[in-house]
Short mmCIF file of all heavy atoms in Angstrom, two decimals:
data_model
loop_
_atom_site.label_atom_id
_atom_site.label_comp_id
_atom_site.label_asym_id
_atom_site.label_seq_id
_atom_site.Cartn_x
_atom_site.Cartn_y
_atom_site.Cartn_z
N PRO A 243 98.05 118.46 83.07
CA PRO A 243 98.71 117.37 83.88
C PRO A 243 99.95 117.81 84.60
O PRO A 243 100.17 117.29 85.65
CB PRO A 243 98.95 116.33 82.81
CG PRO A 243 97.95 116.57 81.70
CD PRO A 243 97.77 118.06 81.71
N ILE A 244 100.76 118.70 84.03
CA ILE A 244 101.93 119.13 84.78
C ILE A 244 101.55 119.88 86.07
O ILE A 244 102.19 119.63 87.08
CB ILE A 244 102.80 120.01 83.90
CG1 ILE A 244 103.52 119.12 82.83
CG2 ILE A 244 103.87 120.76 84.69
CD1 ILE A 244 104.28 119.96 81.82
N THR A 245 100.48 120.58 85.97
CA THR A 245 100.03 121.35 87.25
C THR A 245 99.59 120.38 88.31
O THR A 245 99.94 120.43 89.42
CB THR A 245 98.93 122.32 86.89
OG1 THR A 245 99.34 123.18 85.83
CG2 THR A 245 98.46 123.04 88.08
N VAL A 246 98.84 119.34 87.84
CA VAL A 246 98.29 118.34 88.77
C VAL A 246 99.44 117.53 89.34
O VAL A 246 99.51 117.10 90.52
CB VAL A 246 97.25 117.42 88.07
CG1 VAL A 246 96.88 116.30 89.03
CG2 VAL A 246 96.07 118.22 87.66
N LEU A 247 100.43 117.23 88.49
CA LEU A 247 101.58 116.48 88.93
C LEU A 247 102.34 117.12 90.07
O LEU A 247 102.83 116.41 90.94
CB LEU A 247 102.50 116.19 87.69
CG LEU A 247 103.72 115.27 87.95
CD1 LEU A 247 103.23 113.92 88.30
CD2 LEU A 247 104.58 115.24 86.73
N GLY A 248 102.46 118.43 90.00
CA GLY A 248 103.13 119.13 91.09
C GLY A 248 102.44 118.91 92.40
O GLY A 248 103.10 118.82 93.42
N LEU A 249 101.11 118.81 92.41
CA LEU A 249 100.33 118.56 93.61
C LEU A 249 100.62 117.10 94.07
O LEU A 249 100.66 116.82 95.30
CB LEU A 249 98.96 118.72 93.46
CG LEU A 249 98.51 120.19 93.04
CD1 LEU A 249 96.98 120.29 92.79
CD2 LEU A 249 98.92 121.23 94.12
N ARG A 250 100.81 116.22 93.22
CA ARG A 250 100.99 114.80 93.54
C ARG A 250 102.40 114.52 94.07
O ARG A 250 102.63 113.40 94.62
CB ARG A 250 100.67 113.89 92.30
CG ARG A 250 99.26 113.99 91.72
CD ARG A 250 98.23 113.97 92.84
NE ARG A 250 98.20 112.72 93.49
CZ ARG A 250 97.43 112.44 94.51
NH1 ARG A 250 96.77 113.37 95.12
NH2 ARG A 250 97.43 111.19 95.01
N VAL A 251 103.32 115.32 93.72
CA VAL A 251 104.71 115.10 94.22
C VAL A 251 104.68 115.12 95.76
O VAL A 251 105.34 114.26 96.39
CB VAL A 251 105.61 116.18 93.65
CG1 VAL A 251 107.02 116.07 94.34
CG2 VAL A 251 105.87 115.97 92.13
N GLY A 252 103.88 115.97 96.31
CA GLY A 252 103.83 115.92 97.81
C GLY A 252 103.24 114.63 98.32
O GLY A 252 103.65 114.10 99.36
N TYR A 253 102.22 114.15 97.59
CA TYR A 253 101.68 112.82 97.95
C TYR A 253 102.72 111.71 97.87
O TYR A 253 102.79 110.85 98.76
CB TYR A 253 100.50 112.45 97.07
CG TYR A 253 100.10 110.98 97.09
CD1 TYR A 253 99.28 110.54 98.09
CD2 TYR A 253 100.65 110.10 96.17
CE1 TYR A 253 98.99 109.14 98.23
CE2 TYR A 253 100.22 108.78 96.26
CZ TYR A 253 99.46 108.26 97.25
OH TYR A 253 99.12 106.93 97.33
N LEU A 254 103.51 111.82 96.80
CA LEU A 254 104.54 110.75 96.61
C LEU A 254 105.66 110.83 97.70
O LEU A 254 106.08 109.76 98.21
CB LEU A 254 105.25 110.96 95.26
CG LEU A 254 104.40 110.51 94.02
CD1 LEU A 254 104.98 111.07 92.77
CD2 LEU A 254 104.27 109.06 94.07
N ILE A 255 106.04 112.04 98.12
CA ILE A 255 106.99 112.14 99.19
C ILE A 255 106.45 111.59 100.51
O ILE A 255 107.09 110.75 101.21
CB ILE A 255 107.47 113.54 99.38
CG1 ILE A 255 108.25 114.06 98.13
CG2 ILE A 255 108.38 113.75 100.61
CD1 ILE A 255 108.65 115.47 98.17
N GLY A 256 105.20 111.97 100.83
CA GLY A 256 104.52 111.49 102.04
C GLY A 256 104.32 110.04 101.99
O GLY A 256 104.54 109.29 102.94
N GLY A 257 103.88 109.51 100.79
CA GLY A 257 103.70 108.11 100.64
C GLY A 257 104.97 107.28 100.77
O GLY A 257 105.01 106.22 101.27
N ALA A 258 106.07 107.87 100.21
CA ALA A 258 107.35 107.18 100.30
C ALA A 258 107.76 107.06 101.73
O ALA A 258 108.31 105.92 102.10
CB ALA A 258 108.41 107.96 99.50
N VAL A 259 107.49 107.90 102.60
CA VAL A 259 107.83 107.84 104.01
C VAL A 259 107.17 106.61 104.62
O VAL A 259 107.72 105.83 105.46
CB VAL A 259 107.49 109.15 104.76
CG1 VAL A 259 107.64 108.85 106.27
CG2 VAL A 259 108.39 110.25 104.29
N VAL A 260 105.86 106.39 104.27
CA VAL A 260 105.11 105.24 104.79
C VAL A 260 105.59 103.91 104.15
O VAL A 260 105.83 102.91 104.85
CB VAL A 260 103.57 105.43 104.55
CG1 VAL A 260 102.81 104.18 105.04
CG2 VAL A 260 103.11 106.63 105.26
N ILE A 261 105.81 103.88 102.82
CA ILE A 261 106.21 102.76 102.10
C ILE A 261 107.57 102.20 102.62
O ILE A 261 107.86 101.05 102.69
CB ILE A 261 106.21 103.00 100.62
CG1 ILE A 261 104.81 103.26 100.03
CG2 ILE A 261 106.86 101.85 99.82
CD1 ILE A 261 103.83 102.09 100.25
N GLU A 262 108.45 103.16 102.94
CA GLU A 262 109.77 102.76 103.34
C GLU A 262 109.70 101.94 104.69
O GLU A 262 110.48 100.94 104.82
CB GLU A 262 110.63 104.01 103.70
CG GLU A 262 111.14 104.78 102.45
CD GLU A 262 111.73 106.11 102.72
OE1 GLU A 262 111.68 106.51 103.94
OE2 GLU A 262 112.25 106.74 101.81
N VAL A 263 108.82 102.25 105.52
CA VAL A 263 108.68 101.48 106.78
C VAL A 263 108.22 100.04 106.46
O VAL A 263 108.71 99.14 107.09
CB VAL A 263 107.71 102.24 107.67
CG1 VAL A 263 107.39 101.37 108.99
CG2 VAL A 263 108.18 103.63 108.10
#
Side-chain angles (χ1 to χ4, degrees):
I244 287 176
T245 305
V246 176
L247 185 63
L249 301 176
R250 301 311 294 171
V251 170
Y253 164 83
L254 287 168
I255 294 177
V259 169
V260 177
I261 294 296
E262 286 170 355
V263 176

